[in-house]
Amino acid sequence: MSTTSLESLAIQSESILVLDFGSQTAQLIARRVRDENVFCQLVRHDLSAERIRELNPRGLILSGGPASVYAKGAPQVDPEIFELGLPVLGICYGMQATCKALGSEVRPGLSREFGHTPLRVLESDPLFSGLPQEFAVWMSHGDRVENLHEQFVALAASDDCPNAAIRHRERPIYGLQFHPEVTHTKFGKELLANFVHKICGCTGTWKISSFIDQECAAIKERVGKSRVICGLSGGVDSSVAAALLFRAIGSQLSCIFVDNGLLRKGEQQQVREQFSDHFKTDLHVVDAESLFLRELAGKTEPQDKRKTIGRVFIDVFRSEAKAIPDAHFLAQGTLYPDVIESGMNQDGPAATIKAHHNVGGLPAELGFELIEPFRMLFKDEVRRIGLELGLPESLIWRHPFPGPGLAVRCLGEITKPRLDTLREADAIFLEELTRAGLYREVQQAFAVLLPLQTVGVMGDARTYEDVIALRSVDTDNFMTADWSRLPYDLLQRVSTRIINTVRGVNRVVYDVSSKPPSTIEWE
Ligand code: XMP
């Protein structure tokens, strides 16, 4: 569970609680509210009215959810929450649960309504303040509210849904059949902002720095005099986690960085500069290059490489961690998108970590208690925290790098000379991309060393040498991606520099495949 205890939430001057009914987008609602500079956190859907009163939020949002309100075991709300005098916004399932609790009828719709729908505003209300009379919203529901109880009035309708937005006649209780939190709803951000500011009366004083202060206090209290270990990968999430832990507990933090010999050029040096010279953490750099290369020798099959790297990494990390006395905690930079399956624990959503792609992750059997300060946050929120903590822009905006590192970009056999070739070519590509001002425009760019040689000519001699492929992608979420339309003259500069200066390479190609059907990595 996040170190943010709900007690720390209670002391926030302004906060909104999202009661989580299991929607995929529940966390997105919280994030949109935080974007309004109002603290917001998910809590389980059946939190009692009494507990909510103790937490003292300014308003409640009831999320959507996959169930039908009449299904057996469907999550219900404590009807007492409507007596707290707090503004409530029910979204989709949250609206249906509200209506059911307050006496309206919810029925299965004749058809599922899914996708963009034009919404017409019928009644003026602060919720729609500043919004046009008609705009597109995103619907995704089967059930809908039918005989609206006379306590309620319809504020907006769509073609299929006469009660697409409703309000209680006397109390600030609202319901939306559509999802304002997703970007497909045209004025969703403004609508949620109206709820938070105009209806709940929040002024928006919460800042990322408040999150840092609050997390630091919670971590300090939880950790006591123990030592905390943080595994550094060189990437954004673990670096920001380490910087936050350093702010919280200073010399009680030990960082472990495993150099597996599969890193980008200069990576170990950058980690040393940041976490030993700048933040003076107790940094343990484990030079495990020869061990990894020995274990990888002769392996060419991608999953075999991944498994080997994962296994050796855990062994190396475990033995280094064991040698650090009094360490009871392990800090990790797990983000919300890494967390799927929103089961419910005591107050907030419990979760399990994605198995996909988590090579380089650590197993639970390591025996540490986990500190995961960012498990409720999205990547850009973590970036803001990192900048606030003083990490350099170059680190904060670094492209993601896979756990198995260059092993999955060095196609075929992994040897030190081949890795060195790849590292040099990759560094040139990234340097030229940065110089052209395009590094931050694309989401992931790298070089790949192919397992084949091609013929070339240098001077009067024929050569038979390696091929480097360049890959650069534009993507929102890494699930789908398009190849970056990099300028030809940039590609030409990169190609010339690589062929002229990286020994053993006589050809450079550019990957023009999108995902799907290709993937971003080549292995
Ligand atoms: P693909 O190649 O599946 O990659 O399109 C999507 C994103 O995941 C990263 N990736 C990995 N990350 N361990 C990781 O930690 C892995 O084994 C791995 N394979 C791919 C990839 O770099 C891209 O950002």
Side-chain angles (χ1 to χ4, degrees):
M1 190 185 156
S2 159
T3 50
T4 312
S5 68
L6 286 183
E7 274 62 32
S8 66
L9 196 151
I11 55 168
Q12 300 291 327
S13 54
E14 293 181 340
S15 72
I16 300 282
L17 291 181
V18 175
L19 274 59
D20 181 3
F21 286 89
S23 160
Q24 298 272 344
T25 56
Q27 191 55 244
L28 204 50
I29 303 172
R31 188 260 147 77
R32 299 272 179 256
V33 175
R34 292 197 294 264
D35 280 348
E36 296 302 315
N37 296 322
V38 174
F39 188 70
C40 186
Q41 190 164 320
L42 253 64
V43 293
R44 47 183 298 155
H45 66 277
D46 56 357
L47 205 64
S48 69
E50 196 186 340
R51 182 82 176 114
I52 291 174
R53 192 180 292 113
E54 284 167 17
L55 297 172
N56 195 24
R58 288 282 170 94
L60 304 176
I61 300 180
L62 278 48
S63 85
S68 160
V69 270
Y70 288 113
K72 201 160 160 251
Q76 309 290 337
V77 288
D78 175 357
E80 286 291 307
I81 69 167
F82 301 106
E83 307 302 323
L84 291 169
L86 290 172
V88 176
L89 176 66
I91 295 175
C92 200
Y93 185 92
M95 166 186 181
Q96 293 153 9
T98 301
C99 288
K100 181 167 173 259
L102 296 178
S104 297
E105 197 182 343
V106 179
R107 280 207 196 141
L110 294 178
S111 57
R112 259 187 83 79
E113 203 182 359
F114 184 83
H116 283 113
T117 309
L119 181 87
R120 285 181 313 282
V121 178
L122 308 171
E123 294 274 334
S124 85
D125 188 276
L127 192 64
F128 291 103
S129 170
L131 271 55
Q133 283 302 103
E134 187 167 324
F135 55 94
V137 297
W138 184 259
M139 293 278 192
S140 172
H141 66 104
D143 293 354
R144 64 188 211 186
V145 176
E146 287 283 311
N147 296 320
L148 199 57
H149 193 281
E150 62 196 20
Q151 292 171 322
F152 283 91
V153 56
L155 295 180
S158 71
D159 285 347
D160 274 348
C161 189
N163 301 313
I166 58 168
R167 191 197 66 213
H168 194 282
R169 289 184 193 275
E170 275 129 40
R171 291 186 268 161
I173 299 175
Y174 290 83
L176 301 175
Q177 188 58 79
F178 55 91
H179 289 270
E181 69 278 20
V182 302
T183 47
H184 308 292
T185 291
K186 195 74 199 298
F187 294 95
K189 178 178 157 40
E190 289 77 2
L191 204 151
L192 284 170
N194 283 342
F195 178 71
V196 166
H197 299 299
K198 295 196 173 5
I199 294 161
C200 299
C202 296
T203 49
T205 50
W206 183 80
K207 297 262 157 22
I208 264 312
S209 57
S210 329
F211 175 90
I212 295 173
D213 293 345
Q214 167 198 334
E215 278 299 319
C216 285
I219 290 168
K220 238 174 157 154
E221 196 189 320
R222 181 161 170 221
V223 163
K225 295 209 172 342
S226 284
R227 184 156 277 285
V228 179
I229 292 178
C230 184
L232 287 172
S233 69
V236 181
D237 309 340
S238 66
S239 298
V240 180
L244 182 75
L245 264 292
F246 186 66
R247 166 80 63 96
I249 56 166
S251 60
Q252 282 167 261
L253 174 69
S254 293
C255 293
I256 298 179
F257 178 71
V258 176
D259 186 339
N260 55 11
L262 306 165
L263 304 171
R264 287 164 288 191
K265 190 176 177 187
E267 200 145 12
Q268 188 192 119
Q269 190 50 32
Q270 283 159 16
V271 168
R272 281 187 191 279
E273 277 166 18
Q274 195 56 50
F275 290 97
S276 185
D277 303 347
H278 180 61
F279 295 137
K280 299 200 176 342
T281 72
D282 171 37
L283 175 65
H284 300 238
V285 175
V286 189
D287 200 342
E289 180 182 43
S290 47
L291 174 62
F292 275 88
L293 294 191
R294 221 171 29 244
E295 294 283 335
L296 284 166
K299 299 203 157 90
T300 53
E301 204 276 317
Q303 288 314 84
D304 196 13
K305 290 180 182 177
R306 281 190 167 83
K307 273 198 202 123
T308 305
I309 293 163
R311 173 176 56 75
V312 178
F313 177 80
I314 290 163
D315 287 350
V316 171
F317 193 92
R318 178 185 279 137
S319 74
E320 188 66 28
K322 249 195 202 151
I324 298 175
D326 299 326
H328 299 302
F329 295 92
L330 180 71
Q332 289 190 324
T334 316
L335 305 188
Y336 182 70
D338 302 330
V339 171
I340 44 167
E341 281 194 7
S342 292
M344 304 285 176
N345 66 13
Q346 200 245 320
D347 270 334
T352 50
I353 308 296
K354 251 195 248 185
H356 178 63
H357 283 169
N358 77 342
V359 173
L362 292 162
E365 313 85 74
L366 232 47
F368 293 104
E369 275 188 55
L370 287 186
I371 298 180
E372 297 181 306
F374 310 141
R375 65 178 300 140
M376 295 291 196
L377 305 185
F378 289 82
K379 186 101 180 178
D380 56 339
E381 294 182 302
V382 169
R383 288 201 166 109
R384 279 161 61 200
I385 293 171
L387 289 171
E388 184 86 18
L389 288 168
L391 288 170
E393 295 246 348
S394 55
L395 196 161
I396 291 302
W397 293 103
R398 194 148 209 206
H399 292 169
F401 188 59
L406 297 185
V408 291
R409 295 175 180 174
C410 184
L411 310 195
E413 206 189 345
I414 297 170
T415 62
K416 178 139 169 58
R418 295 194 77 224
L419 288 167
D420 285 341
T421 300
L422 174 57
R423 238 186 303 268
E424 284 304 317
D426 187 66
I428 290 171
F429 183 28
L430 298 188
E431 195 183 303
E432 290 294 341
L433 199 59
T434 308
R435 196 174 285 163
L438 292 173
Y439 183 83
R440 272 180 64 179
E441 301 296 311
V442 303
Q443 280 63 56
Q444 200 169 8
F446 52 89
V448 180
L449 178 63
L450 305 193
L452 56 98
Q453 268 83 42
T454 64
V455 173
V457 52
M458 252 178 215
D460 291 333
R462 267 164 70 90
T463 58
Y464 193 58
E465 292 183 327
D466 289 330
V467 184
I468 285 285
L470 306 176
R471 179 80 162 135
S472 176
V473 293
D474 301 342
T475 172
D476 286 333
N477 52 20
F478 297 90
M479 306 293 284
T480 60
D482 196 7
W483 57 279
S484 314
R485 295 341 188 228
L486 296 182
Y488 283 172
D489 54 354
L490 168 64
L491 291 171
Q492 185 254 317
R493 272 197 306 279
V494 176
S495 158
T496 307
R497 262 190 77 189
I498 291 177
I499 293 171
N500 285 351
T501 60
V502 182
R503 287 256 313 265
V505 176
N506 69 359
R507 190 177 299 272
V508 171
V509 298
Y510 187 54
D511 182 347
V512 290
S513 350
S514 56
K515 172 183 177 177
S518 300
T519 51
I520 295 174
E521 302 291 345
W522 277 45
E523 276 194 344

